Amino acid sequence: MESLIIILVGVLTTVAIYLVLSKNIVRVILGTAILSHAVHLLILSMGGLKLGAVPLLGEEAETYVDALPQALILTAIVISFAVTAFILVLAYRAHQELGTDNLSAMRGSDDE
């Protein structure tokens, strides 16, 4: 199962890099969001998919599951959602001011 998740991380990273390298600002934003999801899956797979009980006080079990990777991923999801929302607002405002979503046109370069 972990090897399947690693393959999915590679596919998501490939798609994200393709989107980040485009000239459309919305595609760049979507690429960064997909890249953050790939990193979340990578952290989850590096933590390992283990069987065990929930780490609660008073529970008697042989093995416990480490909750740290899940806590880190949950924090990263919240932060990436906030950053994506902020960047979308900036892109919307830039589109209102400049009338384009092409990054080359926003820079003012002539090659389109």
Side-chain angles (χ1 to χ4, degrees), residues 29-83:
I29 294 170
L30 286 175
T32 57
I34 291 173
L35 187 61
S36 71
H37 289 303
V39 170
H40 298 158
L41 284 174
L42 182 65
I43 292 172
L44 182 67
S45 65
M46 294 305 289
L49 302 175
K50 298 176 183 152
L51 299 176
V54 180
L56 296 174
L57 293 176
E59 292 283 326
E60 299 297 327
E62 292 288 323
T63 60
Y64 292 106
V65 177
D66 187 17
L68 185 63
Q70 288 87 1
L72 289 174
I73 291 169
L74 185 62
T75 305
I77 288 171
V78 171
I79 291 170
S80 67
F81 176 73
V83 169

Side-chain angles (χ1 to χ4, degrees), residues 13-37:
T13 304
T14 304
V15 170
I17 289 173
Y18 174 76
L19 289 174
V20 166
L21 293 176
S22 73
K23 290 186 179 185
N24 190 341
I25 194 163
V26 177
R27 287 185 179 185
V28 171
I29 294 170
L30 286 175
T32 57
I34 291 173
L35 187 61
S36 71
H37 289 303

